[in-house]
Each structure stands twice: as structure tokens, then as C-alpha cells.
């Protein structure tokens, strides 16, 4: 006669046996009940940049020719006197990535490029290069801006030592990057872009295609560094944004990244933004109705000139509100520096990328970084 304890052991034995049988015969059951999957569930969801990139061999055929590429280009906004610093950035990008993937370069300038600029940038790459003139109406301060009012604002910023506070060209650049670069003739048929600026550093080998990460994952915006904006440059930007949201609630994306830019559900802007000197993005997202209407609303207020609204907070707010949070991608394995901050990959990513940056010099967890807020959205 069996005791209750023996019945218990018998039932447990049967259940364990069934578990192992199902694990080996039903792949989905085995995956769902694995220790790693259960542990992952207990930890919560992980940031979407924690992916396993395809090996470089997956992009090439036997003749080392790329067999799958995105419709994409590098975009460089530069003047002729930036030439040497542009070449330094290009050379690193070519050596670390583009020699293998062969994406074209698009250069934009409000003045015609010199023959020397064209000659020397063409020599640095085997890829196609194009050179475009920015339309005057996309660059200069609009006639409808109240210049005495704008001049008074610039003078006040100068007195308060706000960086670029007295500069009209800087404001022109911010407005152009916020609302017009993606409309340029040379980019009209391009889907994805990678912004490259003069005098930046790329520390690591990139043996996969970030453009295909964007395309295959339905991403719209990619970054490496995030930080807080100077409050004195954007005193009314968030109130202007809230006015737009109130009038156009239909444009807010479900599951957006509001928690990255606000700590209280949108009542106030926490000033977090993605540092837009590095960005990989979907040009069609900026061309879309939601962002277009948003930029038009900002532009008519005049804050690019009456204050000093930058393209970084404008792009960041646009991406955070009009895209799902999973569509914003942290390229944590791309080592990058724009003075004075840098992102240096950590751990295995540092050795895998043959990075030459100091892992201890990494802005991600600096008190002025917002990357922890990005991570928290997925916890």
C-alpha cells in the first residue's frame, strides 16, 4: 500500500518526465520554459539595442560584394573651410565601416563647394559623392521674423554667456537641420541617413550594417549619446510643444517615448535629448505628416530666432512623441566622440569592435547623461 508521500514522488516523476519529453519534441515549449527565458521575464523587458548583430559575412557573396543594402547615405553639412576636419571624420568612417559597405556621401553647404573640397573628399572614398547647395529660403532667417526682437534676445544671451547665444548662422543651421535638410533635392529618393560632422571620432570597427538594423527593425531614429539641453536656450519650447499636442492629439504614437523626455507624464520637459551630431534616421519619418506639422508649428512661433532652439531637442521631442519607443535605437556598440563627450563600448563589445577608446571614459553614466532614462523605459 502506497503512502501519500510515495504518491507525491510518483506524480512529480511523471510531471518531470512529461516536461523533458515536451522540451525535446516541441521547440516552442522548450524555449518558453527555459531557465533563461524565465529569468528574462523576471528581469523585465530589455532595451531593444541588446541584439546580436549579423556577422559581416552575411552581407557579402563569395566575391566580397555587398548583396543586401539599404537605400541610405551619409549626410555632411559643412563649409569649405571645414575641409580638413571633414576628411578626418570621413577617413575614420571609411576605414571602420564604409570600405566594406560602400554607401554614398552627400555634402550640403549654403555656399558652393570649392574645387579643392570636392577633389579631396572624393579622394578619401571609393563611394559616390554628391555636393548640394542649400536653397536660400531653407537657410537664412525668414523675413517675417521681428529682427529687433531677435537681436534683443541675442544680446541678452550674449550677456548671459549662453553658448552660440549671439550667433545668427548657428540658428540658421539649427532651423535647417530641424525642418529642411530632409527636403533637399539630393536626398529626395533616399530613405535612411547617417549624419557625420567634421572633427568627430569613430573608435570601433563596425562589421554589420546599422542602416539594415534600422530597416529590418522598423526603427526611425538611432543615437549614441544623450544629455540635458541648456534651459536658457529653450525656455518656451515645451509649452509650444504642449500647445501642438493639445491641438493635434491624433499624432501621438501609442507606446511612445514620453518617459524619456518628461518625468511627470508630459507636464514638464526634463530637457533630455539625443545628441544629434550623431544620428542615424529615417528621412520619411521627418517628411511624415506628424513631424512636418510639428515643425511648422514651431517655426511660426519663431523660437529658433527669438530663443535658440536647437535641432537636437526638436528632433528628440519629435521622435519621442511620434514614434514608438522601440523605434528609437541606442547603438551602444558604436564608439563615438564629439567634443567634449564620448560613448565608448563596454565589455565584450569593446574587444569585438577593436575599439581604441578608453572604456573608463564613457559618458553613458555621467550625471549629465540621459541614457539611463532611455534604459528605464524598457524595465
Amino acid at each position: 500500500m502506497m503512502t501519500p508521500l510515495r504518491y507525491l514522488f510518483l506524480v512529480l516523476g511523471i510531471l518531470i518526465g512529461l516536461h523533458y519529453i515536451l522540451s525535446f519534441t516541441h521547440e516552442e515549449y522548450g524555449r518558453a520554459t527555459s531557465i533563461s527565458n524565465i529569468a528574462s521575464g523576471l528581469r523585465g523587458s530589455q532595451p531593444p539595442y541588446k541584439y546580436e548583430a549579423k556577422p559581416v559575412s552575411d552581407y557579402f557573396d563569395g566575391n566580397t560584394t555587398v548583396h543586401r543594402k539599404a537605400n541610405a547615405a551619409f549626410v555632411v553639412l559643412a563649409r569649405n573651410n571645414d575641409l580638413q576636419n571633414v576628411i578626418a571624420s570621413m577617413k575614420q568612417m571609411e576605414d571602420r565601416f564604409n570600405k566594406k559597405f560602400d554607401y554614398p556621401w552627400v555634402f550640403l553647404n549654403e555656399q558652393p563647394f570649392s574645387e579643392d573640397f570636392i577633389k579631396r573628399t572624393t579622394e578619401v572614398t571609393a563611394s559616390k559623392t554628391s555636393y548640394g547647395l542649400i536653397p536660400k529660403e531653407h537657410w537664412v532667417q525668414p523675413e517675417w521674423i521681428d529682427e529687433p526682437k531677435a537681436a534683443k534676445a541675442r544680446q541678452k544671451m550674449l550677456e548671459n554667456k549662453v553658448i552660440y547665444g549671439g550667433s545668427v548662422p548657428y540658428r540658421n543651421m539649427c532651423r535647417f537641420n530641424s525642418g529642411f535638410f530632409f527636403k533637399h533635392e539630393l536626398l529626395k529618393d533616399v530613405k535612411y541617413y547617417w549624419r557625420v560632422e567634421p572633427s568627430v571620432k569613430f573608435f570601433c570597427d563596425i562589421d554589420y550594417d546599422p542602416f539594415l538594423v534600422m530597416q529590418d527593425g522598423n526603427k526611425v531614429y538611432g543615437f549614441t549619446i544623450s544629455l540635458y539641453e541648456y534651459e536658457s536656450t529653450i525656455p518656451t519650447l515645451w509649452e509650444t510643444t504642449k500647445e501642438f499636442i493639445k491641438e493635434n492629439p491624433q499624432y501621438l504614437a501609442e507606446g511612445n517615448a514620453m518617459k524619456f523626455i518628461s518625468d511627470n507624464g508630459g507636464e514638464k520637459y526634463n530637457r533630455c535629448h539625443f545628441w544629434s551630431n550623431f544620428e542615424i534616421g529615417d528621412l520619411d519619418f521627418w517628411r511624415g505628416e506628424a513631424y512636418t506639422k510639428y515643425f511648422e508649428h514651431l517655426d511660426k512661433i519663431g523660437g529658433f530666432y527669438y530663443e535658440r532652439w536647437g535641432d537636437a531637442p526638436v528632433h528628440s521631442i519629435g521622435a519621442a512623441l511620434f514614434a514608438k519607443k522601440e523605434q528609437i535605437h541606442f547603438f551602444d556598440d558604436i564608439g563615438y566622440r564629439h567634443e567634449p563627450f564620448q560613448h565608448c563600448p563596454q565589455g565584450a563589445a569593446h574587444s569585438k569592435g577593436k575599439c581604441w577608446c578608453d572604456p573608463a571614459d564613457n559618458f553613458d553614466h555621467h550625471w549629465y547623461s540621459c541614457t539611463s532614462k532611455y534604459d528605464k523605459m524598457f524595465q
Side-chain angles (χ1 to χ4, degrees), residues 157-301:
M157 286 193 177
L158 275 174
E159 293 170 359
N160 292 331
K161 295 181 170 51
V162 176
I163 187 170
Y164 302 119
S167 174
V168 174
Y170 187 83
R171 287 170 167 82
N172 292 340
M173 180 195 69
C174 290
R175 179 173 178 261
F176 172 75
N177 280 330
S178 294
F180 296 104
F181 86 94
F182 45 84
K183 297 180 179 180
H184 195 278
E185 183 72 13
L186 292 178
L187 295 172
K188 68 176 184 178
D189 296 322
V190 178
K191 170 72 169 172
Y192 297 101
Y193 72 101
W194 187 333
R195 178 169 162 179
V196 177
E197 293 208 347
S199 301
V200 297
K201 292 182 175 68
F202 296 96
F203 293 119
C204 311
D205 287 349
I206 306 170
D207 288 330
Y208 68 95
D209 191 337
F211 290 123
L212 289 180
V213 170
M214 302 292 288
Q215 176 179 291
D216 296 347
N218 191 29
K219 312 287 187 180
V220 300
Y221 194 84
F223 73 100
T224 56
I225 294 173
S226 65
L227 67 166
Y228 293 94
E229 180 60 295
Y230 297 109
E231 189 167 8
S232 57
T233 66
I234 54 165
T236 67
L237 176 59
W238 188 244
E239 288 303 314
T240 305
T241 298
K242 286 168 68 176
E243 291 170 4
F244 178 80
I245 295 171
K246 184 177 180 180
E247 295 171 6
N248 302 276
Q250 72 276 16
Y251 292 134
L252 289 180
E254 184 178 351
N256 61 34
M258 176 69 85
K259 288 184 178 180
F260 176 75
I261 57 174
S262 178
D263 300 327
N264 52 15
E267 181 60 30
K268 292 184 178 181
Y269 177 36
N270 62 17
R271 298 183 290 117
C272 281
H273 67 282
F274 306 113
W275 217 17
S276 59
N277 48 70
F278 175 110
E279 56 184 14
I280 303 175
D282 182 344
L283 291 164
D284 286 340
F285 178 76
W286 304 131
R287 297 172 184 135
E289 182 177 318
Y291 183 79
T292 297
K293 295 293 186 183
Y294 175 58
F295 172 75
E296 290 173 352
H297 179 79
L298 298 182
D299 199 33
K300 73 181 181 182
I301 298 299

Side-chain angles (χ1 to χ4, degrees), residues 20-65:
Y20 279 105
I21 291 171
L22 289 170
S23 295
F24 284 110
T25 59
H26 292 74
E27 183 179 347
E28 292 299 322
Y29 174 84
R31 188 182 301 119
T33 58
S34 67
I35 295 296
S36 61
N37 186 67
I38 294 170
S40 175
L42 291 173
R43 288 194 303 267
S45 62
Q46 298 297 300
Y49 59 88
K50 300 297 185 185
Y51 66 100
E52 187 65 33
K54 294 181 180 180
V56 67
S57 58
D58 282 11
Y59 297 100
F60 299 88
D61 61 22
N63 298 315
T64 67
T65 300

